[in-house]
Amino acid sequence: MKFDQIIGANAERSRTHNRQLVLGQVRRGGTMGRAEVARASGLSIQAVSNIIADLERDGLLEEQGKSSGGRGLPAIQYAINPAGGFAFGVEIRPGAVFAIMLDLAGRAVFSCRCTLERSDPLTATARVLALRDRAVADLGIPKTRIMGAGVVVPGPFGPTGLSNSATELPNWDGIDRAAWFSEAFGVPTMVENDANAAAMAEHVSGRARELQHYAFLYFGTGLGLGLISEGRLVRGAFGNAGEIGHIAVPGPDGPVLLEQAVSRLSVEHYLTKHGITAPNSSALADLYAAQNTALGDWLNGSLVPLAHAITLIENIFDPQAIILGGAMPDTIIDHLIAHVPLNQRSVAHRPDRTGPRLIRGASGRMTAALGAASLVINNSFTPQLAVVV
């Protein structure tokens, strides 16, 4: 049974499926001729020719010269037109909004962070729409070029025993978020939790491009966990897999919830008790560079709880690696990775290991917003078939 092979069919597959298939083949190949796409996809050359003609008319593909090798006439080569479409991604947190626009090549062509006085649905949506309009104006593109949107919000989704935590967005209970934002944006919109989106961002353009099984510990307001298996997100029955911040771990004075010991909210509360305000990653980075004593004490106290969580993830999920990233300065993440006491009684402690057990993510504070937009890019280029036997 193969999980990474998706092929087309000439009649029974939908038009959308085959368009995604052809786009995906060209994206992976960089430039391809019609015969190459046909061989790779299982479609007939005539079907590929028709699809490519449609994609050219829609501005998604463009000619890239002709091949010079092989027998016969040189074949026209096609490539993704980066300006043919755009994906809008946004992360909404209590107190802040991050927005990003990707072109079809997956390049960030617009990004912005702004404060959010209130994160209720109407206020947050108005701010997000303003950022979308600003991106469209800055890029000089029509809104019709936006192929879809991704929105990241902190979990959990739906009423659960974890509801009413400090990391949640207020007043969103009972709202179908995907339908809400799809109507607001006027394009299909996917809604994901921050850790899952961050994990996908690393898979698309970060440190996990060569990994198929990995975990992503995401520092948002709290602490989340995104899981990737066979290159696909593990969401759980209701989209709440990975709510690791709410598990109990050993602390200096007894058991504590993980995100009470290891998270942005945790360090901010600790510093506030010592009369220090650090409202963002830049402020934390400055404190770390200055070797602030209170921050050093928090770091020391976070190591044992973090080590316990890492052992749980490794022994339950058996990842190739665990990636740490999100809204925390690189210097602090590097410090955690360098000093956390990794348990040798773990399935990850193996003699044939070729890479580190812990890796810092590559995408920084825009990780989740980038992941939101990456969901749209991935959906545009990947037929949604799970298994081929």
Side-chain angles (χ1 to χ4, degrees):
M1 187 175 291
K2 299 180 180 178
F3 290 84
D4 58 354
Q5 180 183 4
I6 300 177
I7 60 174
N10 297 314
E12 67 271 18
R13 301 300 185 195
S14 70
R15 176 176 178 270
T16 297
H17 168 96
N18 285 341
R19 280 169 61 95
Q20 291 172 323
L21 184 61
V22 170
L23 280 171
Q25 293 292 347
V26 174
R27 182 173 184 249
R28 284 189 292 273
T31 59
M32 296 183 76
R34 286 173 290 186
E36 290 179 276
V37 174
R39 286 193 297 271
S41 65
L43 295 166
S44 70
I45 292 181
Q46 183 59 55
V48 168
S49 297
N50 293 338
I51 294 168
I52 286 179
D54 286 343
L55 294 172
E56 276 195 287
R57 281 193 295 270
D58 293 342
L60 301 178
L61 289 182
E62 58 184 3
E63 290 189 14
Q64 287 287 313
K66 297 182 178 181
S67 64
S68 57
R71 299 177 180 178
L73 296 174
I76 297 173
Q77 300 293 292
Y78 297 92
I80 298 294
N81 175 17
F86 298 85
F88 184 61
V90 61
E91 179 191 9
I92 304 173
R93 294 185 202 159
V97 173
F98 296 78
I100 195 166
M101 190 81 82
L102 301 183
D103 66 14
L104 279 189
R107 296 188 298 254
V109 292
F110 171 89
S111 65
C112 180
R113 176 197 183 278
C114 66
T115 58
L116 187 63
E117 296 77 14
R118 299 190 308 277
S119 52
D120 61 275
L122 291 177
T123 303
T125 303
R127 180 58 59 88
V128 167
L129 287 174
L131 289 174
R132 189 273 315 269
D133 292 345
R134 176 179 163 186
V136 166
D138 286 357
L139 296 171
I141 61 171
K143 291 179 184 178
T144 54
R145 286 287 183 92
I146 300 177
M147 300 174 64
V151 176
V152 166
V153 293
F157 291 163
T160 74
L162 305 181
S163 297
N164 301 315
S165 68
T167 61
E168 286 187 81
L169 298 178
N171 303 315
W172 284 85
D173 293 344
I175 294 178
D176 183 334
R177 299 171 188 186
W180 173 279
F181 283 111
S182 292
E183 182 176 355
F185 287 132
V187 294
T189 303
M190 292 174 281
V191 177
E192 193 56 82
N193 70 46
D194 44 17
N196 281 353
M200 183 55 68
E202 292 295 334
H203 185 61
V204 170
S205 58
R207 298 292 301 279
R209 281 173 289 185
E210 304 302 322
L211 301 179
Q212 289 296 304
H213 303 270
Y214 65 93
F216 190 103
L217 268 174
Y218 177 73
F219 291 88
T221 304
L223 189 71
L225 177 68
L227 300 172
I228 300 288
S229 179
E230 295 286 352
R232 294 175 173 83
L233 281 170
V234 178
R235 292 185 172 90
F238 303 100
N240 289 320
E243 285 292 338
I244 196 170
H246 298 276
I247 68 168
V249 295
D253 302 314
V256 296
L257 295 183
L258 179 61
E259 68 180 25
Q260 292 176 348
V262 189
S263 68
R264 275 287 304 278
L265 200 62
S266 167
V267 67
E268 288 174 9
H269 284 174
Y270 190 90
L271 293 173
T272 298
K273 290 178 181 179
H274 291 78
I276 302 170
T277 301
N280 51 50
S281 292
S282 296
L284 287 174
D286 290 341
L287 289 172
Y288 185 84
Q291 299 182 356
N292 180 267
T293 300
L295 178 58
D297 291 342
W298 177 85
L299 284 167
N300 290 335
S302 70
L303 295 177
V304 170
L306 179 59
H308 186 79
I310 288 169
T311 302
L312 284 176
I313 296 167
E314 289 177 338
N315 285 338
I316 291 174
F317 184 60
D318 190 22
Q320 292 168 278
I322 297 176
I323 301 174
L324 280 66
M328 195 70 86
D330 289 349
T331 51
I332 289 181
I333 293 177
D334 288 340
H335 181 100
L336 292 172
I337 290 174
H339 293 89
V340 65
L342 295 178
N343 194 338
Q344 293 190 3
R345 291 194 60 78
S346 167
V347 296
H349 181 62
R350 42 190 309 130
D352 60 348
R353 172 170 285 280
T354 57
R357 288 162 67 176
L358 302 181
I359 303 171
R360 172 165 54 83
S363 302
R365 69 177 187 173
M366 296 299 296
T367 300
L370 176 60
S374 296
L375 292 169
V376 177
I377 297 292
N378 184 65
N379 189 63
S380 300
F381 292 127
T382 306
Q384 303 303 302
L385 295 179
V387 177
V388 175
V389 179

